[in-house]
Amino acid sequence: MAYRPAFLDFSFARSDLQAGLTVAIVALPLSMAIAIASGVGPDRGLVTAIVGGFLVSAMGGTRHQIGGPAGAFIVLVAACVAQIGIEGLILATLISGAMLAVLGLLRLGGTIRYVPYPVILGFTAGIAVIIAVSQLHDLLGLTLAGPEPGPLLEKLPVLWAARDSLQPASLAIALMTIALILGLQRFAPRLPSMLVAIAVVTLAGLVLPAPTVADRFGALPSGLPMPQLPDLSPALVWAALPFAASFTLLGAIESLLSGMVADQMAGTRMRADDELVGQGIANIGVALFGGFCTTGTIARTATNVRAGSSGPASGMIHAGLLLAVLVIAAPLAGAIPLAGLAGLLMLVAWKMIEWHAIAALSRISRGDAITMAVTFLTVVLRDLTEGIILGMALAGVIFIARMARETGAEPGQDQDSHDPHEMVWHLRGPVFFGSVARIEALLDRIVQHPRLLMLDMAGVPMIDSTGARMIEELAGRLSHKGTRLVVIGASARLRRKLAGLDHAADAEGARALAGS
C-alpha cells in the first residue's frame, strides 16, 4: 500500500478550532519546560512544537495525533547536548527523521508493537523518575558549585551538597504551581490548568525574587528562524548516529502508542507505517528549523480527542496558534519563573508513571513484574537503551520458560488395541528449543520397547528445527532397540518439518505402515 499522508483526508469543523486552541494552551508551557529540562533554550521547544506539530498532523497516519517535544526524550536529549552539543542534537534529529521514514516505507510499523507491556511500563516509570530528579535544581533554586551531572547516582550527591543554597521563593513558586494545577483540575476542569497556573506564578514572580526564563536564556525570538542544514561533517555524523538510533526507537514507540490511545478514544484506525513516515518527515523539518526530536504525545493527543477534534486540522491549527504566540507574546514568556516550569514537569513526571497498571501487573504475574522492575532499575541507574534491550531480553527468556512449561508428553490410555507391542504417547504444546529438555525427560520414561510407538502430535501447534531434530534422534534410538516410531495426528506444516519420519493420519494407518 502506498504512503498516504493525513492531510489528504483533510476536513474542517468548528470543533477543530476549539480543539486546536485547547491543545495549544496545554502545549505552550509544556514545550518550554521540556526544552529547558532537556538542556536547550525554550525557543527550541516552541519551534519543535510548531514545526513538528504541524507536520505530524499533516503528514502522519492518524487523524488526531498531536506532535511536539515529549518528556520521554528529556534524558536522551540532555545526554546528546552534553556530549555533542546543540549542533549535534540537530543533526541527530535529522538522521532520526530519515530512519523513521525508512522504517515506515519498509512497512515495519507493526513490529514496534512487539515491545512487551512490562518493558514499556518500567521504561516510562524510569524516565519519570529521572525527569523528576532533574527538576530539583530549579524547583529548589539551588546554586551548584559546578555543572550538574547527568547520571542519577552522580547527580544526587551534588544536589545534596548544595542544599544550603535553597531559595524559599523558588520553592514557594514551584509548590504554588503544583497546587494550582491540581486544584484547577479538581474543581475547575474546564479551565486550562497549566496555562492558568503559569500565568499566576509569573505574576507572583514580580513579588517573589526567583530566576526566570529570561534570566537564563535571554529574550526569546519573535518568530521562526530561517531553515538551514546542520553541520554534516563526517565526524559529527558518526558521533550523532547512536543518539539518532535511540531517538528513532523511542520516537517510534512513543508515537505509535499515542496513535493507539487516539484510536481507542475516537474509534479510528491508525496506519502505523504512514505514521512512521510522517514522524520522519516531521523530525527532518524540525531539524531544518533548529528544533529537536518531535514525536506523538499521548497527553496532548488525548486532550485533542476530548476537545472535539474531527481530523488533522486541529493539530495544524494548534501549531499555527503557537506560532502566533511566539510572534506576538515572546517577551512575556521570558518572565516565567523557572521554578514554575519545574513544578509543572514534576506533575508531568508523576502522571507518566502508571501506578494502577504497575500494581495490577505485580499482582497478576511475577515474571512480568520482574521484567518491569529490571527495566526500571536499568533505565534509572544505567541507560535508556540498555533498559529496553535488557527488558526485551528478560521478557523473551520468561516467555520461553512459560511456553516450555505448557509442553508435555504422556502415555495414551485410549488406544483401540491392548496389544503390548503397540504404544501411544501424546505430545501437547509447542515443541521448540526451550521445551526440548522437558520433553526428552518425559519421553525417557518409556521403559518398554514395543514394536510400534505412535507419537500423537495433534496437540502440537508448532515445532522448530531443534524440536524436529530431537524427535528424529528419538526415532533413531528406538530403531536400534527394535521399535518403530510413527507420527500420527500431525498437521501438514509439522509433517514438512518431520520429513524424515514415518507419518500416518490415524492409529490404523500407523499399524499398517509399521507392518509393511
Side-chain angles (χ1 to χ4, degrees), residues 34 65-71 254-255 258 279 295-302:
I34 290 172
Q65 185 85 282
I66 297 295
E254 183 86 1
S255 61
S258 178
Q279 294 286 337
T295 187
T297 55
I298 295 176
R300 275 161 273 176
T301 297

Side-chain angles (χ1 to χ4, degrees), residues 186-334:
R186 177 78 167 84
F187 299 106
R190 292 183 178 275
L191 291 178
S193 57
M194 291 184 180
L195 187 64
V196 171
I198 291 298
V200 170
V201 298
T202 300
L203 293 175
L206 300 176
V207 179
L208 298 172
T212 66
V213 170
D215 291 337
R216 181 177 298 178
F217 300 99
L220 297 181
S222 57
L224 292 177
M226 292 297 294
Q228 62 180 7
L229 282 172
D231 181 4
L232 296 175
S233 61
L236 190 58
V237 169
W238 184 254
L241 277 174
F243 292 104
S246 297
F247 292 164
T248 301
L249 176 61
L250 182 56
I253 294 173
E254 183 86 1
S255 61
L256 294 183
L257 283 176
S258 178
M260 291 168 62
V261 169
D263 286 347
Q264 293 169 1
M265 294 179 66
T268 54
R269 184 174 179 83
M270 171 178 60
R271 302 186 305 277
D273 297 314
D274 292 350
E275 181 63 18
L276 289 184
V277 175
Q279 294 286 337
I281 294 172
N283 276 277
I284 292 172
V286 163
L288 295 178
F289 282 90
F292 59 99
C293 40
T294 186
T295 187
T297 55
I298 295 176
R300 275 161 273 176
T301 297
T303 300
N304 187 41
V305 176
R306 286 196 294 264
S309 167
S310 67
S314 59
M316 298 159 74
I317 290 170
H318 125 271
L321 291 172
L322 287 177
L323 177 58
V325 170
L326 185 62
V327 171
I328 298 171
L332 297 177

Side-chain angles (χ1 to χ4, degrees), residues 451-457 468 471-472 474-476 478-479 483-491 494-506 509-516:
R451 178 169 52 87
L452 174 64
L453 173 62
M454 291 175 280
L455 196 60
D456 181 8
M457 299 186 67
I471 294 177
E472 290 173 0
L474 173 65
L478 292 174
S479 178
T483 299
R484 188 171 187 178
L485 184 144
V486 179
V487 173
I488 64 174
S491 65
L494 265 60
R495 289 199 298 271
R496 286 194 295 270
K497 290 286 186 71
L498 300 167
L501 296 177
D502 293 330
H503 299 273
D506 52 30
R511 296 187 187 102
L513 184 61
S516 60

